[in-house]
DNA sequence: AAACAAACCTGTGCGC
DNA sequence: TGCGCACAGGTTTGTT
């Protein structure tokens, strides 16, 4: 579900509502959510701490704590973070609840039907051991910024299909299945093309599309699909799904060229939608 | 190096 | 209406 724009939208919501609040109590109802460590580790790491800031690297959401530790939240496929009133009825699959101080007091819910998501408190000075994926993450186009030259260097010598490269979090962090397809369509590049085969103008277009698609999607609050799984911390959906040109539009006329139908195929085990006429 | 499959889970939508 | 299967925004691991 959530890719860079959705995670960034959640981050902004947390930044707005969490900073300065203290955790008074922690409930862990599903051990799988804290599987990297334990319920005790999450409870010990969060109880009594105050939130001081937030950041994001790829799809990894980080909340800074006044203890010096950080809370990492990964939503994976179906995770949601919701801010709510104390005592409110919790949705099914609410696995972690943080009781927050403040006037008025709030609760932060971690809801995740498929349970792929996770929460962990870690020591940033020991990240290589406690959260090794984080230190292996590729460049984040928004948080780090990415130059055209940097992108060109990342593609050089890589013969993998460009769609697979965009999805590889070790190369570029944050792009998922929706935005990879949308970026390639706007770039007018076939998802099957080897990364190393892209011409100079194609790399220029790809670079521009990565930044413009992600920026526009963030401004739209992300993409909320028909199952309304993804919502921000206030429970509101995004609107970038209205701007999708290819994702989940197989069989429909391409809105860009109006002369071909969107085709669906598989790349790296992921459904891939593209316009065979626009994207060569 | 790169492509593919399977694994982790639950829910939904579709064909029959 | 009910059943079974395919498939879903992610990531890791293992096999060709």
């Amino acid at each position: 579900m959530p890719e860079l724009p959705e995670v960034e939208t959640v981050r902004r919501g947390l930044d707005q509502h969490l900073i300065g609040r203290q955790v008074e109590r922690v409930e862990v109802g599903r051990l799988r959510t804290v599987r990297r460590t334990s319920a005790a580790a999450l409870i010990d790491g969060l109880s009594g701490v105050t939130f001081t800031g937030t950041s994001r690297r790829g799809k990894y959401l980080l909340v800074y704590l006044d203890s010096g530790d950080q809370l990492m939240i990964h939503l994976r496929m179906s995770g949601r973070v919701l801010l709510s009133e104390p005592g409110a009825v919790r949705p099914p699959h609410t696995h972690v609840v943080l009781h927050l101080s403040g006037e008025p007091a709030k609760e932060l819910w971690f809801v995740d039907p498929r349970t792929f998501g996770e929460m962990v408190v870690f020591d940033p000075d020991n990240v290589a051991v406690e959260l090794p994926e984080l230190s292996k993450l590729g460049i984040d186009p928004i948080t780090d910024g990415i130059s055209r030259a940097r992108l060109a260097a990342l593609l050089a010598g890589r013969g993998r299909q460009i769609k697979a490269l965009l999805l590889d979090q070790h190369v570029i962090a944050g792009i998922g299945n929706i935005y990879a397809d949308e970026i390639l369509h706007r770039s007018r590049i076939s998802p099957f093309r080897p990364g190393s085969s892209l011409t100079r103008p194609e790399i220029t277009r790809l670079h521009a599309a990565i930044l413009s698609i992600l920026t526009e999607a963030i401004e739209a609050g992300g993409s909320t699909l028909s199952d309304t799984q993804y919502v921000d911390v206030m429970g509101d959906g995004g609107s970038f799904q209205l701007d999708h040109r290819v994702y989940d539009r197989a069989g429909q006329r391409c809105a860009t060229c109006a002369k071909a139908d969107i085709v669906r195929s598989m790349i790296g085990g992921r459904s891939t939608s593209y316009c065979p006429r626009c994207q060569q």
Side-chain angles (χ1 to χ4, degrees):
Chain A
M1 158 179 86
E3 307 179 27
L4 187 155
E6 290 77 29
V7 179
E8 175 63 16
T9 301
V10 170
R11 186 198 67 76
R12 291 180 181 188
L14 293 181
D15 202 78
Q16 190 178 126
H17 295 100
L18 239 52
I19 306 305
R21 285 189 189 267
Q22 188 175 26
V23 180
E24 294 183 330
R25 192 159 63 89
V26 180
E27 294 177 61
V28 178
R30 220 346 169 144
L31 293 180
R32 187 168 149 73
T33 302
V34 294
R35 60 192 175 281
R36 187 180 297 262
T37 53
S38 64
L42 190 82
I43 293 167
D44 292 348
L46 290 180
S47 297
V49 306
T50 297
F51 297 120
T52 59
T54 63
S55 70
R56 180 192 54 71
R57 292 218 47 208
K59 300 165 193 166
Y60 290 73
L61 182 53
L62 303 174
V63 181
Y64 301 150
L65 313 175
D66 68 349
S67 60
D69 286 345
Q70 296 180 12
L71 168 65
M72 188 283 285
I73 303 175
H74 201 303
L75 305 174
R76 294 289 181 102
M77 293 289 267
S78 62
R80 274 185 291 164
V81 176
L82 295 170
L83 203 63
S84 69
E85 310 308 315
V89 177
R90 302 166 185 174
H93 309 293
T94 302
H95 304 317
V96 173
V97 175
L98 307 188
H99 297 264
L100 307 176
S101 69
E103 206 42 63
K106 293 281 184 183
E107 288 184 10
L108 191 75
W109 297 339
F110 183 77
V111 182
D112 184 18
R114 292 180 72 180
T115 73
F116 291 162
E118 67 166 313
M119 297 176 74
V120 63
V121 173
F122 70 100
D123 175 359
D125 293 331
N126 200 24
V127 62
V129 171
E130 296 180 27
L131 203 50
E133 314 95 280
L134 193 60
S135 36
K136 293 176 187 164
L137 228 42
I139 188 168
D140 183 300
I142 302 298
T143 301
D144 304 323
I146 185 170
S147 66
R148 203 213 78 101
R150 180 73 181 274
L151 177 64
L154 285 174
L155 299 179
R158 297 195 202 243
R160 294 166 67 194
Q161 294 167 319
I162 185 63
K163 163 90 184 253
L165 285 172
L166 291 179
L167 288 178
D168 188 339
Q169 304 299 302
H170 306 288
V171 180
I172 299 175
I175 298 172
N177 207 35
I178 294 177
Y179 296 104
D181 282 0
E182 295 300 324
I183 286 166
L184 288 170
H185 181 262
R186 182 170 289 184
S187 309
R188 309 197 307 274
I189 296 168
S190 163
F192 299 100
R193 291 274 302 282
S196 52
S197 78
L198 298 199
T199 64
R200 198 178 164 80
E202 284 172 338
I203 294 172
T204 299
R205 295 206 303 269
L206 181 63
H207 174 251
I210 287 172
L211 293 176
S212 66
I213 290 278
L214 293 178
T215 301
E216 289 168 28
I218 291 169
E219 286 170 3
S223 300
T224 296
L225 306 183
S226 51
D227 60 8
T228 67
Q229 272 288 314
Y230 162 73
V231 289
D232 66 16
V233 296
M234 304 306 286
D236 297 324
S239 62
F240 195 71
Q241 69 280 1
L242 303 174
D243 293 313
H244 291 177
R245 291 292 180 103
V246 285
Y247 182 83
D248 202 25
R249 276 171 164 54
Q252 298 178 27
R253 210 62 164 168
C254 174
T256 300
C257 69
K259 288 177 180 172
D261 292 341
I262 303 303
V263 170
R264 185 170 171 277
S265 182
M266 290 296 264
I267 293 180
R270 315 297 304 280
S271 77
T272 298
S273 300
Y274 63 100
C275 171
R277 190 171 188 277
C278 293
Q279 299 174 251
Q280 306 289 323

